[in-house]
Amino acid sequence: MTKNSFTNVIEQLYNHKSIAEIYAYSHDSDKFAVGIVIDYSLEEVVIQAIDNFGFKDGIFIGRTKDIYRISIKTTYIDSIRKLYEHNYIKDDNCAPVVPLCGNNNKKKLYDLYITHLLRNSKIVTCTLYNGVSLTGIIESYTNQVVKMKIYNQVGLFDGVSFFDAIEIETLSFEEIYGKTLVCDVDDNTKLNENGYYEATFRLIPRK
């Protein structure tokens, strides 16, 4: 398997823990991920995302073949870096999270992270190559087929979807949006008539 044209750049970002803007082909050409590369393989890159207020905003996983531009040392990144350091300078959380496996080029990071999400029942957002975005909890992952319990924008159960993992363009989890959903799905949450938990959407303080 050959290296993607951006693999060397991604490797340097990983080694230096630099904040970068990463642009990928998608249905919204104005969107880009800002954060620190915490894991990568020949096919995937994992980013500790940072929002425009300098707070950690979840883990973002994309495919290197979709990347068409990477920017560093921009005015925007410099502002984000200052906010990020200010937000976390008083504790040990300034460093990005520890990756699940470390940059092992022989492993499929999507498989590892989907399995991790399945085992830990984490809220995840999957964006597919056809532009569909699904948010929910992965219930099973067998023969590359993902079964996901879907929640809508207000946190209510909205059915179950099945899709091929190869159709996933990006995965993201532990975002502020995901945390607001998961904080209300607990042992005290009642099952609805369909046998699923009903989460409710509310804003929680950033950590």
Side-chain angles (χ1 to χ4, degrees), residues 5-91:
S5 57
F6 281 104
T7 302
N8 289 334
V9 177
I10 291 171
E11 183 176 12
Q12 292 178 38
L13 293 175
Y14 173 83
N15 290 334
H16 293 92
K17 299 295 180 283
S18 304
I19 297 177
E21 299 170 5
I22 298 181
Y23 298 76
Y25 293 105
S26 70
H27 295 266
D28 187 349
S29 59
D30 293 327
K31 291 183 65 176
F32 57 91
V34 174
I36 300 171
V37 174
I38 60 172
D39 209 351
Y40 69 94
S41 69
L42 294 180
E43 297 182 356
E44 300 113 339
V45 59
V46 184
I47 302 166
Q48 167 69 69
I50 303 172
D51 68 15
N52 56 352
F53 298 103
F55 288 99
K56 295 177 184 178
D57 194 20
I59 308 300
F60 175 90
I61 309 170
R63 301 185 190 275
T64 55
K65 69 181 181 64
D66 297 326
I67 296 174
Y68 66 90
R69 175 184 168 192
I70 295 176
S71 295
I72 60 173
K73 299 181 180 180
T74 64
T75 302
Y76 180 70
I77 289 176
D78 186 54
S79 298
I80 295 300
R81 179 186 56 78
K82 291 176 181 176
L83 289 170
Y84 181 73
E85 292 175 351
H86 172 76
N87 291 334
Y88 298 103
I89 196 67
K90 294 181 180 180
D91 57 36

Side-chain angles (χ1 to χ4, degrees), residues 79-109:
S79 298
I80 295 300
R81 179 186 56 78
K82 291 176 181 176
L83 289 170
Y84 181 73
E85 292 175 351
H86 172 76
N87 291 334
Y88 298 103
I89 196 67
K90 294 181 180 180
D91 57 36
D92 296 328
N93 291 325
C94 190
V97 299
V98 177
L100 294 180
C101 60
N103 62 324
N104 187 334
N105 292 336
K106 296 181 180 179
K107 292 186 177 181
K108 298 282 188 179
L109 295 183

